Amino acid sequence: MFKIIKKQKINGLLLLDKSIGITSNKILQYVKIIFNAQKAGYIGTLDPLASGLLPICFGEYTKFSQYLMNQNKTYLVTALLGEKTNTADKYGFIIKKKNVNLTIKNIFETLNSFKGISKQKPPMYSAIKYKGIPLYKYARRGINIPNLKERIIKIYQIKLINFYQNKIKLQINCSKGTYIRSIIDDLGDQLNCGAHIIKLRRIAISHISIFHKNVITLEQLKILMINYQNHKLNVFLIKKLLLPIDYIIYHIPKLYLSNILIKKIINGEKIKLTSIIDKTQFCIFEKKKFNFIGICQINNKGYIVKCKLMNSVKKFY
């Protein structure tokens, strides 16, 4: 008979350095197996073409992942000028070729035009769903979906790193939901020569950088799994690699409340926080032990109207 191994209830944040050629979901499934985790989810999909920072939340942290997902992202992208492809990356078919005759001044002026708020239509080769089906599946069948809803995006910084032999390297800091392949495709059009991505790497999500000491690759995780016995591996991974909730909710104001108030919040009682003036949401912490309880929404009269709580806290109050 096969022995059924019970999956673990783990809470934490793993910073993974995704390699190219694999989907974000495939990475997630590998990580769940390595950790024997009951529940996990990644923050911010990276295409197989892309590498870089892919945070993975475990357990109850998944319900708070949106607070990090909604933050700015930073990418390093290398594009080839002079060729436009149907996918805006090197895996597509070339649909336009043109000689590149540009100056640094041309490039700087064009890059500056991308800064700020604008509207962006999702590319057909993306995971955005239309009628429940990802757009890239329509694109592979040669079906174009017209009148896709445009998104409001913001480019905070688009910096030229290098320009050599028709290759241009940029660092882009942008809002959630920005498609870098669309930026590069539009850049090629504005430079009147065409362009497509040949390399893409996410180096930061908000304050979390790919250079954080806890960042690890899937290959390194697999080596750890081989070198440690299962029970030792789990202890090592959880203690040494997983980060606390603070990395996800760092930017949200914090309130430290007494056990009595926390118990009332958990029980759904109507609570008014008189000290609240101009904020609409707070992280609630326990005053004595500084334990994270959850995030509360507060109306303009100071009453708590909605809470997203850690399930594990209920048994302690």
Side-chain angles (χ1 to χ4, degrees):
M1 292 180 67
F2 292 103
K3 185 178 179 181
I4 298 174
I5 301 173
K6 188 177 180 181
K7 292 190 180 296
Q8 295 188 107
K9 291 183 178 179
I10 303 171
N11 295 322
L13 178 70
L14 177 71
L15 302 182
L16 197 86
D17 184 352
K18 176 190 171 299
S19 57
I20 62 172
I22 187 170
T23 66
S24 296
N25 188 59
K26 193 107 175 181
I27 288 274
L28 175 65
Q29 300 313 315
Y30 278 126
V31 170
K32 285 180 72 175
I33 291 170
I34 290 171
F35 279 81
N36 191 34
Q38 193 175 82
K39 186 178 182 181
Y42 58 79
I43 295 177
T45 304
L46 284 174
D47 292 339
L49 163 75
S51 67
L53 186 62
L54 185 72
I56 294 178
C57 293
F58 291 94
E60 293 189 58
Y61 282 27
T62 57
K63 69 168 75 170
F64 302 98
S65 62
Q66 70 189 79
Y67 297 101
L68 183 57
M69 190 183 300
N70 291 338
Q71 300 304 301
N72 302 343
K73 317 289 193 302
T74 304
Y75 298 88
L76 284 177
V77 56
T78 303
L80 181 66
L81 302 176
E83 293 180 357
K84 181 183 179 76
T85 71
N86 64 327
T87 60
D89 62 40
K90 65 181 180 180
Y91 298 110
F93 299 106
I94 298 172
I95 56 177
K96 177 184 175 182
K97 270 191 173 187
K98 197 166 183 180
N99 291 333
V100 178
N101 186 20
L102 298 170
T103 65
I104 291 294
K105 184 181 178 182
N106 294 147
I107 293 172
F108 273 121
E109 288 176 350
T110 306
L111 290 178
N112 284 332
S113 71
F114 281 85
K115 292 180 182 178
I117 297 172
S118 62
K119 291 182 179 180
Q120 186 185 71
K121 183 186 289 188
M124 281 301 298
Y125 282 87
S126 67
I128 292 290
K129 291 183 178 179
Y130 177 77
K131 294 185 177 181
I133 300 173
L135 288 178
Y136 66 82
K137 290 191 176 182
Y138 290 103
R140 286 173 182 171
R141 298 173 193 164
I143 302 171
N144 184 55
I145 306 299
N147 304 320
L148 286 171
K149 187 177 180 181
E150 292 182 319
R151 295 177 168 195
I152 302 296
I153 64 162
K154 186 171 183 179
I155 305 297
Y156 296 92
Q157 183 189 55
I158 182 163
K159 181 180 177 183
L160 178 64
I161 304 298
N162 194 17
F163 173 48
Y164 179 69
Q165 291 185 342
N166 292 356
K167 291 180 182 178
I168 187 170
K169 186 175 183 179
L170 307 171
Q171 180 171 308
I172 302 174
N173 180 253
C174 55
S175 62
K176 172 203 170 186
T178 303
Y179 283 96
I180 302 300
R181 70 173 67 226
S182 292
I183 296 292
I184 295 303
D185 193 53
D186 291 343
L187 176 64
D189 289 343
Q190 290 195 30
L191 291 173
N192 197 31
C193 62
H196 66 266
I197 292 175
I198 56 176
K199 190 175 182 180
L200 179 62
R201 183 164 175 79
R202 184 158 64 198
I203 59 172
I205 298 180
S206 187
H207 66 300
I208 302 176
S209 164
I210 195 69
F211 304 109
H212 191 284
K213 65 178 183 178
N214 281 42
V215 171
I216 192 167
T217 65
L218 182 61
E219 290 70 27
Q220 289 169 330
L221 276 177
K222 288 178 178 178
I223 291 170
L224 285 174
M225 187 170 68
I226 294 170
N227 292 341
Y228 284 77
Q229 295 295 327
N230 280 342
H231 65 286
K232 291 181 180 179
L233 172 71
N234 289 332
V235 171
F236 175 83
L237 292 178
I238 292 168
K239 286 187 175 181
K240 299 292 184 180
L241 289 179
L242 296 191
L243 297 171
I245 193 73
D246 306 64
Y247 280 81
I248 296 175
I249 49 96
Y250 79 101
H251 58 292
I252 302 174
K254 297 172 177 58
L255 275 181
Y256 296 89
L257 302 180
S258 66
N259 289 8
I260 295 173
L261 274 178
I262 289 172
K263 188 174 181 179
K264 288 182 178 181
I265 290 170
I266 290 171
N267 291 334
E269 295 183 35
K270 192 175 182 179
I271 303 293
K272 185 175 183 179
L273 301 174
T274 55
S275 62
I276 305 306
I277 299 174
D278 60 349
K279 302 295 182 184
T280 59
Q281 65 179 10
F282 284 86
C283 295
I284 303 296
F285 283 80
E286 194 257 335
K287 196 171 186 178
K288 290 183 178 179
K289 297 181 180 178
F290 307 106
N291 292 328
F292 173 72
I293 306 300
I295 295 177
C296 291
Q297 300 288 333
I298 300 166
N299 66 17
N300 56 8
K301 293 182 180 179
Y303 285 98
I304 293 176
V305 291
K306 188 178 180 182
C307 286
K308 187 176 285 189
L309 303 173
M310 295 274 282
N311 291 331
S312 57
V313 304
K314 295 182 180 180
K315 61 184 178 183
F316 295 111
Y317 295 91

